[in-house]
């Protein structure tokens, strides 16, 4: 309802003109259509049905070791610095 009051005197269009003046000069800015989006209903029971209690796979060790090339860059730098200090 407050938005409609702002749209009628074209105050939003004038504000857009002011804000974009430094980028590109616009004139005769009008708002033609406004779509109001409602926020979805949050249903905790539906969420729990989808995700359940989990499969118990948290914290499981990896099946294969990580490749040598996949070492984290920060970890590699820390190791290199430690070797230089020795």
């Amino acid at each position: 309802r407050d938005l409609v009051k702002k749209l009628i005197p074209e105050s939003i269009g004038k504000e857009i003109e002011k804000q974009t003046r430094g980028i590109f000069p616009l004139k005769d800015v009008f708002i033609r259509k406004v779509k109001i989006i409602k926020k979805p209903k949050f249903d905790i029971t539906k969420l729990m049905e989808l995700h359940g209690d989990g499969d118990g796979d948290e914290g499981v060790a990896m099946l294969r070791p990580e490749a040598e090339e996949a070492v984290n860059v920060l970890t590699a730098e820390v190791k290199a610095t430690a070797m230089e200090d020795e």
Side-chain angles (χ1 to χ4, degrees):
R1 291 175 179 48
D2 295 330
L3 179 64
V4 174
K5 291 178 184 175
K6 288 182 180 180
L7 289 175
I8 292 172
E10 302 171 7
S11 63
I12 293 177
K14 290 176 186 174
E15 185 66 27
I16 291 171
E17 285 180 33
K18 278 192 236 173
Q19 295 294 328
T20 58
R21 191 174 297 143
I23 301 167
F24 189 82
L26 297 175
K27 62 178 184 177
D28 300 329
V29 177
F30 299 104
I31 307 290
R32 283 190 191 174
K33 194 183 263 190
V34 176
K35 183 175 183 179
I36 298 174
I37 301 174
K38 295 181 181 178
K39 100 177 175 182
K41 294 183 211 170
F42 180 70
D43 190 9
I44 190 73
T45 55
K46 193 174 231 182
L47 179 70
M48 291 309 291
E49 284 176 8
L50 290 174
H51 293 286
D53 293 331
D55 298 336
D57 62 349
E58 301 91 19
V60 175
M62 291 178 58
L63 299 175
R64 59 183 178 170
E66 235 179 52
E68 192 65 35
E69 299 88 34
V71 174
N72 188 345
V73 175
L74 181 61
T75 306
E77 288 178 7
V78 170
K79 285 182 183 178
T81 307
M83 288 186 173
E84 287 176 3
D85 291 340
E86 291 177 0

